[in-house]
Amino acid sequence: MSAAEYEEFRDGVEAAQAEEPAAEIAFVKRHGETVRRLIDDGAHVIVGTDSPLVPPAIYYHLNLQAMVRYGVSPYEALRSATAEGARTLGLSGDLGSVEPGKLADLVLVEGNPLEDVAAAAAVRQVVVGGAVRSVDDLVAGTEATAGTPAAAARARTASTVRNTVLPDVPQAPATERYWWHREEHANHSCC
């Protein structure tokens, strides 16, 4: 996030903490209970965000925490963020689990997210294509894996995703394509 985006995000958090948003809390609770029932009934659930409307990393972790708060185990929540997401995207051969021949991307966190899923957000280092990178490296955008076999596999996977054309998902009430790029949204919700 840019400094301005971060400040706006912090202001929103403070405003939400100052008032008790009962309707929003009830919505999240109903959503969490629905996710629990879906998993109990054998559905495949993946974690998502409202990106580009909200900061994706933050909301991704908040979704994991909400899932656990309303009955999903930390293991199931983490699986929905990894193996289930890869399966849904048709990328299980390259992503979603730690196995020989798959892309070796790991997140090293402080704590045990299987005991407290919030620990998944306490990232200390990552391993990308076999290279250990600090959070500072990631924020700075340093490229440490160019030219490696893992980088080539990552490029193949990205190409497959980019070349897959899916129909737009209707966005009611704003159904025009890429509505978040309209001028009134440009300062707070998108690139």
Side-chain angles (χ1 to χ4, degrees):
M1 285 185 202
S2 70
E5 290 169 325
Y6 183 69
E7 188 62 36
E8 182 178 348
F9 177 75
R10 284 186 46 177
D11 290 346
V13 169
E14 288 175 12
Q17 290 173 334
E19 57 187 67
E20 187 73 21
E24 288 84 355
I25 292 170
F27 171 81
V28 171
K29 181 179 182 195
R30 282 192 313 275
H31 176 73
E33 291 167 348
T34 299
V35 168
R36 171 75 265 155
R37 283 193 311 275
L38 286 167
I39 290 174
D40 286 346
D41 290 342
H44 297 277
V45 174
I46 62 172
V47 175
T49 72
D50 287 334
S51 179
L53 303 179
V54 296
I58 294 168
Y59 280 80
Y60 201 80
H61 286 284
L62 290 176
N63 277 325
L64 288 174
Q65 292 172 33
M67 289 173 74
V68 171
R69 181 176 300 119
Y70 296 108
V72 174
S73 73
Y75 173 80
E76 291 167 317
L78 292 167
R79 186 168 167 75
S80 74
T82 55
E84 289 298 333
R87 185 195 65 76
T88 301
L89 293 172
L91 299 173
S92 302
D94 291 324
L95 306 172
S97 60
V98 179
E99 298 176 54
K102 290 192 174 185
L103 297 176
D105 296 349
L106 302 171
V107 179
L108 308 173
V109 300
E110 185 175 315
N112 182 350
L114 292 173
E115 293 174 4
D116 177 8
V117 78
V123 176
R124 296 299 174 245
Q125 292 180 315
V126 298
V127 180
V128 180
V132 179
R133 314 256 318 269
S134 71
V135 173
D136 290 338
D137 292 339
L138 297 172
V139 171
T142 323
E143 183 54 56
T145 61
T148 66
R154 198 176 327 283
R156 281 193 312 276
T157 300
S159 176
T160 301
V161 171
R162 274 195 307 274
N163 293 325
T164 302
V165 178
L166 299 173
D168 287 341
V169 174
Q171 300 287 330
T175 56
E176 65 188 79
R177 188 179 184 122
Y178 308 124
W179 61 269
W180 55 86
H181 285 282
R182 291 194 320 237
E183 187 174 325
E184 64 265 30
H185 299 291
N187 293 327
H188 60 83
S189 62
C190 190
C191 40

